[in-house]
Amino acid sequence: MHVGKSYKFFDFLIWTRRKVYTLIILGTLPVILYHLLDLKWLIVPWQVVSILGTATAFIVGFKNTQTYNRTWDAHGTWTNIATYSKAWAIMCRDYFNDQEKTRLLIYRHFAWLTALRYQMREERVWEVVDNKQNAEYQKYYTIPERQTPVEDELAKYLPADELRHILKSRNKASQILALQSKTLKEIYDNQAILPLPFIDMQRTLGAISSQQGQCEALKDTPYPRQYSIINTIFVRIFCFLLPFGMLQEFDKLNNVVSGFMKGHMIWLVVPFSVIISWMYTSLEQVGEGTENPYEGGSNDVPISQISREIEIDLREMLGETELPPPIKPQNDILV
């Protein structure tokens, strides 16, 4: 997540430059064919291009709205995770008098956070974080889950026997929650906790599990492919036809200008078609980069930073003083 004042225009231009190169070619070729090779029949009526541009603007706007909603939902889910995590720690600390069990349950919660964020960083075929333009931007920041294996992180929080069991499972986060519930039941069976607090803690575990389910649903469900492809098709058709629609309009300007540009106004098709097309392709690229809020992109939900803040808060509830350092922005990027 970018936490600076804004992206610099030059950085944004670098990020989108590959499409700009293509747009320059698409803008120049029709001018050469029309003006230099005298293929006057190549013009497309401006009304046709205008209607297509309006339709394209609607579909691009729709996609960006929906992808923004996906990111906002992801933010909301991790806000709830932070809330339930603090409630869980308070219950573990105050509902029964067993410091060892309290520490076990809270540290196991750290393991759950770790397993969940690693699951969220797993690759999916529809994700774009490793596309050329996005992978290139990763020189400004690092994704923690790609720096350290999950087993090394889980080993900080789980006993060796539990770690071996968890590492064998497919859904590590779910298995950790199952261990939490099993331990709670043992505490209750030993009459170390009253029925109402036990029910309250189980209800909180259920809420935490529900948040995990929401994370997994968003991670494993891409933005609908039919909407994604129609957006791409509309943008590409519009960018291809736009300079053909501008040829005759700029050619007419030769009748009302004088000076060195008279007879050459047609060449203004190139910069203006590039600028207009770049607006559409940039919006498409922004929407594409916002589709998957957990993949590790520069605009994604900073689940690593949120997890670290939760861990710091919960360790302080345990009375610990040796705390892990907060995760700071790297070139204004939080991950």
Side-chain angles (χ1 to χ4, degrees):
M1 179 175 69
H2 194 283
V3 293
K5 184 176 181 180
S6 68
Y7 282 104
K8 296 177 181 178
F9 175 74
F10 181 76
D11 290 339
F12 192 84
L13 193 60
I14 290 294
W15 184 53
T16 59
R17 72 183 187 281
R18 289 180 175 82
K19 291 184 178 179
V20 172
Y21 299 152
T22 302
L23 295 176
I24 291 174
I25 295 172
L26 290 177
T28 304
L29 187 58
V31 175
I32 292 174
L33 295 174
Y34 178 88
H35 185 60
L36 299 183
L37 300 183
D38 203 33
L39 300 178
K40 304 298 183 182
W41 56 269
L42 282 175
I43 62 171
V44 175
W46 176 249
Q47 292 83 351
V48 173
V49 178
S50 177
I51 293 171
L52 179 60
T54 302
T56 304
F58 275 117
I59 194 68
V60 170
F62 174 80
K63 178 180 179 179
N64 279 30
T65 299
Q66 298 308 311
T67 55
Y68 173 81
N69 288 339
R70 284 169 63 87
T71 297
W72 188 249
D73 288 344
H75 270 289
T77 299
W78 275 84
T79 299
N80 290 337
I81 286 174
T83 301
Y84 287 126
S85 296
K86 294 168 187 176
W88 173 255
I90 291 172
M91 293 175 186
C92 292
R93 186 192 63 185
D94 297 343
Y95 278 2
F96 50 88
N97 297 316
D98 189 332
Q99 291 298 320
E100 183 179 344
K101 289 293 186 184
T102 295
R103 188 179 186 279
L104 172 67
L105 290 171
I106 292 180
Y107 267 65
R108 200 183 276 156
H109 188 74
F110 296 155
W112 174 78
L113 286 169
T114 300
L116 181 62
R117 63 184 173 87
Y118 269 84
Q119 286 176 207
M120 294 301 100
R121 298 298 197 202
E122 291 174 359
E123 295 181 12
R124 298 291 186 269
V125 67
W126 56 81
E127 293 181 341
V128 297
V129 69
D130 290 322
N131 285 5
K132 286 183 178 179
Q133 66 272 15
N134 296 323
E136 190 176 65
Y137 200 78
Q138 289 178 32
K139 65 184 179 181
Y140 297 112
Y141 68 98
T142 56
I143 303 171
E145 291 74 23
R146 294 190 175 187
Q147 309 301 311
T148 310
V150 63
E151 51 267 26
D152 291 351
E153 288 294 306
L154 289 176
K156 299 176 182 178
Y157 311 117
L158 297 175
D161 57 335
E162 288 188 6
L163 179 61
R164 286 192 295 270
H165 167 68
I166 295 301
L167 290 178
K168 292 177 183 177
S169 58
R170 185 184 64 85
N171 191 319
K172 298 175 179 60
S174 293
Q175 293 304 315
I176 292 172
L177 288 181
L179 286 176
Q180 295 283 64
S181 181
K182 181 180 179 182
T183 301
L184 271 185
K185 183 62 166 57
E186 291 172 354
I187 294 172
Y188 178 71
D189 289 342
N190 293 331
Q191 298 183 344
I193 188 173
L194 295 173
L196 287 180
F198 170 71
I199 293 171
D200 201 14
M201 294 186 75
Q202 285 286 12
R203 187 181 295 117
T204 301
L205 269 184
I208 292 172
S209 179
S210 176
Q211 299 307 308
Q212 176 183 328
Q214 291 185 38
C215 288
E216 291 170 343
L218 194 52
K219 176 69 177 180
D220 295 327
T221 306
Y223 178 74
R225 298 294 87 190
Q226 67 273 27
Y227 289 111
S228 179
I229 188 60
I230 198 66
N231 181 83
T232 300
I233 290 172
F234 273 37
V235 169
R236 291 182 179 179
I237 291 176
F238 174 74
C239 293
F240 177 76
L241 291 180
L242 178 63
F244 289 97
M246 300 174 78
L247 289 173
Q248 193 173 39
E249 301 301 319
F250 276 89
D251 198 18
K252 292 177 182 176
L253 294 178
N254 288 310
N255 299 324
V256 295
V257 300
S258 59
F260 75 97
M261 283 300 296
K262 186 174 181 63
H264 303 290
M265 292 297 291
I266 190 70
W267 289 103
L268 292 180
V269 168
V270 179
F272 281 100
S273 66
V274 168
I275 291 171
I276 297 172
S277 296
W278 178 75
M279 291 168 57
Y280 281 81
T281 58
S282 296
L283 282 172
E284 180 195 26
Q285 191 165 322
V286 167
E288 183 184 63
T290 315
E291 285 181 26
N292 309 295
Y294 296 136
E295 62 183 340
S298 59
N299 298 301
D300 288 356
V301 179
I303 59 177
S304 302
Q305 183 264 345
I306 294 172
S307 297
R308 179 63 58 82
E309 291 299 322
I310 293 172
E311 181 175 350
I312 292 172
D313 287 344
L314 270 55
R315 283 178 180 269
E316 288 183 328
M317 291 181 189
L318 286 173
E320 297 183 8
T321 55
E322 294 185 7
L323 306 174
I327 293 179
K328 300 294 185 181
Q330 307 167 57
N331 295 302
D332 293 330
I333 303 297
L334 266 180
V335 292

